[in-house]
Amino acid sequence: MEAVAAALGPDPAEAAWHACYRAASAIGGNFDDQLRLEVLRRLVESARRGTAH
């Protein structure tokens, strides 16, 4: 439920990250999941700054 609510945020990039984070937390994410989320978070931040790589 928290992942769905997070996905409805006003900023699509941040909403996607929050939804993924909450979904991974709900299922007990492992190190690979944490790494993917960190990469996604950095891409979101980079896109906001306009410096996506």
Side-chain angles (χ1 to χ4, degrees), residues 3 17-30 32-34 37:
W17 183 85
H18 281 288
C20 290
Y21 177 82
R22 283 176 176 71
S25 295
I27 61 171
N30 59 27
D32 288 342
D33 294 332
Q34 292 172 351
L37 286 169

Side-chain angles (χ1 to χ4, degrees), residues 17 20-21 24 33-42:
W17 183 85
C20 290
Y21 177 82
D33 294 332
Q34 292 172 351
L35 184 58
R36 287 185 193 99
L37 286 169
E38 180 61 20
V39 169
L40 180 59
R41 184 188 65 79
R42 290 179 187 210

